[in-house]
Amino acid sequence: MLGLFTKKANTLLGIDISSTSVKLLELSRSGSRYKVEAYAVEPLPPNAVVEKNIAELEGVGQALSRVLAKAKSGVKTAAVAVAGSAVITKTIEMEAGLSEDDLENQLKIEADQYIPYPLEEVAIDFEVQGPAPRNPERVEVLLAACRKENVEVREAALALAGLTAKVVDVEAYALERAYGLLEAQLGAGHDEMTVAVVDIGATMTTLSVLHNGRTIYTREQLFGGKQLTEEIQRRYGLSVEEAGLAKKQGGLPDDYDSEVLQPFKEAVVQQVSRSLQFFFAAGQFNDVDYILLAGGTASIPDLDRLIQQKIGTQTLVANPFADMALSSKVNAGALASDAPALMIACGLAMRSFD
Ligand SMILES: Nc1ncnc2c1ncn2[C@@H]1O[C@H](COP(=O)(O)OP(=O)(O)OP(=O)(O)O)[C@@H](O)[C@H]1O
Ligand SMILES: [Mg+2]
């Protein structure tokens, strides 16, 4: 072995606990090139996670144990994320030149001014952004806070599978980090564009608009692939599992395409279009350079083409792995088909290299 992609002691598994599955990804890095060391996805029992909240700790813990065994990774530390909607962020100014510890102490004293919950119930994090625009003696600090129970329930689920949560991130930040990998798809200069990333999951569709590589807008809608699964179940009398499988592997009656899939795709176009209208109405933008599709539902064949044709904006399916090497133990075909659903897991795994 060359040992080109040396594993450092601080490798973190990126673990995305979403509403329908747990997704695990391990990356290594050599220079600026990443390699997928391990990955796996395991379904969650229905209602184990409801609208981003872990409702059944045991069920999630067991799925995590399975995903870990499937991925065959020896890493025991992980980065997980809480949903953006569970987090309050504020940019505040503080004295420049304070040490990390002093900043933390100072923040603990001041934080109650900014956070509408009792401090003993919240977990706080912060990051110095840079000098304050109007006062070089002060720095801008991004303060993020969420209820401790959101963090603790994730730590507990990981612990059931023998994992330690070293990093608890925010989904939107993980997405932003993974977005940095899309240069292979969007070309150089993508960090200066305005790009709409539309994550269409099972129950939720999240629009994130990035401008110069930073998230400037997010909006969640209750819409997703579950609607298509339910329509397949209803029409062809299948169980959830059968319908979910048929969606990916085909084998449905001839009228599926015209009677079920096509109308669903039209509904997706409408959702994307409406979300963009909300974004345009909210600010100073009336156009985006690209639409990037993420989430499992983005894997529906030709959805990107339909959106591009109907909305008139270049549309691509996000693939954070386009430029990565793959370990021989990773199933390349499966990874390619899951790629758009792995943006958050990817952004989390990248925390290994901070
Ligand atoms: N190849 C495919 N073709 C069609 N649909 C697919 C395919 N692969 C996955 N899906 C669908 O994508 C959805 C799962 O996507 P994803 O993993 O992004 O959701 P999630 O993150 O668990 O859900 P949410 O974001 O709503 O919490 C499911 O509805 C699944 O049936
Ligand atoms: Mg999701």
Side-chain angles (χ1 to χ4, degrees):
M1 288 307 248
L2 274 173
L4 200 57
F5 292 92
T6 37
K7 283 196 205 176
K8 288 205 243 121
N10 52 0
T11 299
L12 299 173
L13 299 173
I15 294 191
D16 178 12
I17 303 170
S18 70
S19 69
T20 57
S21 62
V22 288
K23 302 166 183 126
L24 177 153
L25 184 72
E26 179 191 341
L27 298 176
S28 64
R29 188 169 72 171
S30 163
S32 62
R33 186 131 197 257
Y34 291 92
K35 179 176 175 182
V36 181
E37 294 288 351
Y39 116 94
V41 178
E42 269 291 302
L44 279 169
N47 304 321
V49 175
V50 179
E51 292 186 7
K52 314 265 182 182
N53 291 316
I54 296 180
E56 290 164 21
L57 193 57
E58 285 290 321
V60 176
Q62 282 161 10
L64 283 168
S65 296
R66 290 198 303 274
V67 85
L68 200 58
K70 197 165 160 188
K72 300 191 174 63
S73 167
V75 177
K76 293 288 177 205
T77 47
V80 290
V82 295
S85 49
V87 178
I88 296 172
T89 59
K90 269 221 156 82
T91 303
I92 59 175
E93 282 190 14
M94 303 206 50
E95 192 183 325
L98 291 178
S99 72
E100 201 73 355
D101 283 347
D102 287 343
L103 258 181
E104 190 171 337
N105 289 331
Q106 192 67 28
L107 270 174
K108 279 189 185 140
I109 298 167
E110 294 183 21
D112 61 344
Q113 302 170 37
Y114 310 109
I115 295 159
Y117 303 124
L119 277 190
E120 61 275 12
E121 287 174 23
V122 296
I124 295 179
D125 204 355
F126 64 93
E127 189 181 76
V128 177
Q129 306 289 290
R134 270 179 270 281
N135 186 351
E137 273 158 31
R138 294 176 79 75
V139 285
E140 281 192 334
V141 178
L142 177 67
L143 180 67
C146 87
R147 284 184 174 277
K148 265 192 190 143
E149 62 200 35
N150 273 318
V151 172
E152 286 165 357
V153 72
R154 279 166 179 73
E155 289 171 342
L158 257 61
L160 287 177
L163 293 168
T164 308
K166 278 272 168 76
V167 168
V168 181
D169 206 333
V170 180
E171 283 184 359
Y173 300 164
L175 181 75
E176 197 174 286
R177 208 170 298 114
Y179 175 82
L181 296 170
L182 300 178
E183 186 165 321
Q185 286 188 280
L186 298 176
H190 77 297
D191 46 353
E192 287 164 19
M193 297 174 186
T194 307
V195 175
V197 180
V198 187
D199 180 319
I200 314 168
T203 56
M204 205 77 103
T205 294
T206 309
L207 165 67
S208 311
V209 182
L210 289 98
H211 180 67
N212 300 342
R214 287 281 165 167
T215 310
I216 55 166
Y217 181 88
T218 63
R219 182 165 197 276
E220 286 179 349
Q221 300 247 96
L222 272 177
F223 175 83
K226 194 173 164 201
Q227 260 149 280
L228 176 58
T229 309
E230 284 171 352
E231 182 58 20
I232 295 171
Q233 280 180 260
R234 201 181 59 77
R235 189 175 274 257
Y236 304 114
L238 300 176
S239 69
V240 189
E241 292 78 17
E242 291 167 335
L245 219 59
K247 232 164 127 175
K248 293 190 187 180
Q249 300 177 348
L252 287 163
D254 283 345
D255 68 353
Y256 170 63
D257 202 68
S258 61
E259 298 296 312
V260 182
L261 186 58
Q262 210 52 43
F264 178 76
K265 284 161 82 169
E266 299 284 346
V268 173
V269 173
Q270 283 227 332
Q271 290 290 333
V272 175
S273 172
R274 192 178 310 156
S275 295
L276 282 171
Q277 291 311 320
F278 272 102
F279 164 62
F280 296 144
Q284 71 273 51
F285 292 85
N286 49 26
D287 202 7
V288 294
D289 296 308
Y290 276 98
I291 295 170
L292 275 177
L293 301 182
T297 302
S299 293
I300 291 177
D302 286 336
L303 187 59
D304 49 344
R305 238 193 18 216
L306 186 70
I307 290 174
Q308 172 159 330
Q309 185 196 331
K310 291 277 167 82
I311 298 182
T313 300
Q314 282 205 70
T315 305
L316 295 168
V317 177
N319 178 7
F321 310 113
D323 238 1
M324 291 193 193
L326 301 189
S327 153
S328 57
K329 77 176 177 211
V330 170
N331 177 338
L335 183 71
S337 112
D338 285 336
L342 291 169
M343 287 287 281
I344 288 176
C346 195
L348 291 172
M350 290 168 79
R351 288 296 297 262
S352 297
F353 315 108
D354 277 359

